[in-house]
């Protein structure tokens, strides 16, 4: 789909969802180990995508043992996706209209909860996942270079990594260690 049409659809979606532009915070306080809530977004429609998201989840739990680590996964058919605990939620194309209007109150409530940290694990070419990530309320945003979020300046920290890179969790850890003093 052409870039102009996609941007138009997203602007209409912003208006329909009554969303305002996202301000990216510029100051972060305290060590990463004290963060209380983490949102991990990812495209889990493939086995490789599921593995990437799970690897980032494991890394986040190691860095922040007391934090709630919440996964918001995107998949074509959410009925086929197992929910392993109460901190996992999934959405599909059916949850957003053609103009990205959120049809699901569940999705809107997950995004508006407010997180200390949001990590976009994969799915940088998924327009729906990027749109949803754009409006997640998070103090610190980490994601891959080359994404729509990166291009629009909506990430605080950018990780150089390609899709399918099995070292994404290590790269997330080193990026966050540069920012925060972690206690071992």
């Amino acid at each position: 789909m052409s870039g102009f049409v996609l941007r138009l659809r997203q602007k209409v979606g912003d208006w329909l969802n009554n969303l305002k532009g996202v301000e990216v915070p510029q100051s972060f306080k305290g060590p990463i180990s004290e963060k209380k809530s983490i949102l991990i977004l990812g495209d889990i429609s493939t086995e490789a995508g599921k593995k990437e998201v799970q690897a980032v989840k494991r890394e986040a739990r190691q860095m922040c043992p007391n934090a709630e680590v919440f996964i918001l996964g995107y998949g074509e058919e959410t009925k086929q996706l197992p929910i392993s605990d109460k901190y996992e939620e999934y959405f599909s194309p059916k949850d957003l209209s053609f103009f990205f209007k959120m049809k699901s109150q569940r999705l809107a409530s997950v995004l508006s909860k407010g997180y200390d940290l949001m990590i976009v694990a994969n799915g940088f070419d998924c327009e729906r996942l990027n749109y949803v990530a754009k409006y997640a309320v998070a103090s610190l945003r980490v994601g891959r270079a080359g994404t729509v979020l990166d291009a629009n300046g909506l990430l605080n920290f950018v990780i150089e990594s390609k899709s399918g890179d099995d070292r994404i969790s290590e790269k997330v850890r080193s990026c966050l260690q540069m920012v925060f003093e972690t206690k071992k």
Side-chain angles (χ1 to χ4, degrees), residues 22-35 37 115-118 137-143 153-158 175-181:
V22 176
E23 289 185 26
V24 179
Q26 298 300 320
S27 63
F28 321 103
K29 296 180 181 168
I32 187 71
S33 60
E34 293 178 5
K35 299 303 173 202
S37 60
Y115 300 91
D116 292 324
L117 173 62
M118 178 185 79
V137 177
S139 300
L140 177 63
R141 297 163 161 262
V142 177
L154 296 173
L155 296 174
N156 301 100
F157 298 99
V158 178
C175 174
L176 294 175
Q177 283 177 335
M178 287 189 287
V179 179
F180 298 101
E181 295 176 13

Side-chain angles (χ1 to χ4, degrees), residues 87-100:
Y87 298 111
E88 293 184 18
E89 193 69 55
Y90 303 103
F91 73 102
S92 71
K94 296 174 186 171
D95 292 314
L96 293 171
S97 73
F98 178 77
F99 287 109
F100 297 98

